[in-house]
Amino acid sequence: MDGVKYTGMLSAAELKRVLPAADRLARGPVAVIECVQEIPCNPCEKACPFGAITVGGDITALPVLDQEKCKGCGVCVSRCPGLAIFVVNAAYSADEALITMPYEYLPLPDEGELVRGLDRSGRPVCQGRVVKVDRSPRNDGTTVITLAVPKAYVHDVRNLRRMEKDEVLVCRCNEVTEQEVRQAVRDGARTVAAVKLRTRTGMGLCQGRTCRRLVSRIIAEETGQTVADILPATTRPPVRTLPLGALTGGEADD
């Protein structure tokens, strides 16, 4: 089974119902309302200054976009509580399309910054460029970001990830980045154990076997010490993963 109800992502059939027609797409910016579940919600209808969005008397009805009335102004993007509305502009240039999207993460990217364009599953699919970061009061606290991406990805990119040099993972088990470890040290952590308490680095399946040395090196770099000066974390048995049966005295399959 596929679709939002089963996977959290739109199926091909659901996408077909909400994506703009090719001729309308070619004429400039237009909204894409990726709302396919019948829930009680209609702020988008009231937000549109051109009357392009209709929900009707039944508040659980799906919103319907009149593509000819839509001007691609983007007012509806920040008004959708489910962050399900985007504006796409496939006519931006010969090679690039614009995607306007809600973004509720910090820190915000800067205009002109290169980022990773993510698809609906969070998978990186292309490089994008931030064209606009809109934090105007009309957005009611939701930042609206416009991203330029290769035109082929206009229907794929629906989020972004900043491409920071410190995005390198130190602890893969718990997905702790180098930047998080460095920030912990700057906030006062001076030992591997202290970093572990602040970030959960070394508390995953491998128990620090892959990240302990990296953490020591980062502490040394941030504090001016040598790696030999850094107190290691306490090693507690079992050092390697064991089947439960080995600890209870029974067979492994028990």
Side-chain angles (χ1 to χ4, degrees), residues 24-98:
R24 176 62 185 86
L25 196 65
R27 298 202 303 268
V30 61
V32 180
I33 305 178
E34 299 191 3
C35 177
V36 296
Q37 290 185 295
E38 296 177 342
I39 58 176
C41 185
N42 67 352
C44 57
E45 180 181 43
K46 299 182 182 301
C48 182
F50 304 103
I53 303 174
T54 303
V55 174
D58 182 359
I59 197 174
T60 63
L62 296 179
V64 177
L65 177 71
D66 186 328
Q67 297 179 21
E68 297 305 317
K69 288 184 179 180
C70 179
K71 308 298 182 183
C73 67
V75 172
C76 56
V77 173
S78 64
R79 305 298 175 83
C80 174
L83 308 181
I85 301 180
F86 308 84
V87 171
V88 298
N89 183 3
Y92 175 63
S93 74
D95 302 317
E96 292 183 318
L98 294 183

Side-chain angles (χ1 to χ4, degrees), residues 123-211:
R123 181 176 62 90
V125 293
C126 67
Q127 180 174 283
R129 185 181 76 261
V130 177
V131 174
K132 184 178 181 180
V133 179
D134 183 1
R135 302 187 66 187
S136 59
R138 74 170 188 173
N139 294 338
D140 194 26
T142 296
T143 302
V144 176
I145 290 180
T146 300
L147 195 64
V149 301
K151 189 170 289 190
Y153 297 100
V154 66
H155 291 323
D156 298 319
V157 173
R158 288 299 181 265
N159 208 331
L160 66 89
R161 180 184 299 159
R162 302 185 72 189
M163 296 195 298
E164 300 183 39
K165 65 178 182 179
D166 289 330
E167 196 178 39
V168 176
L169 288 177
V170 171
C171 175
R172 294 186 178 275
C173 295
N174 288 323
E175 298 185 348
V176 181
T177 65
E178 181 181 349
Q179 177 60 29
E180 290 175 291
V181 173
R182 290 187 183 278
Q183 189 61 52
V185 177
R186 292 165 189 170
D187 289 343
R190 291 295 183 270
T191 66
V192 175
V195 171
K196 178 179 179 179
L197 289 174
R198 289 174 180 262
T199 66
R200 295 184 61 82
T201 301
M203 297 178 71
L205 183 64
C206 82
Q207 290 295 292
R209 290 197 302 276
T210 62
C211 59

Side-chain angles (χ1 to χ4, degrees), residues 228-239:
D229 294 330
I230 309 301
L231 290 175
T234 302
T235 302
R236 295 181 176 88
V239 177

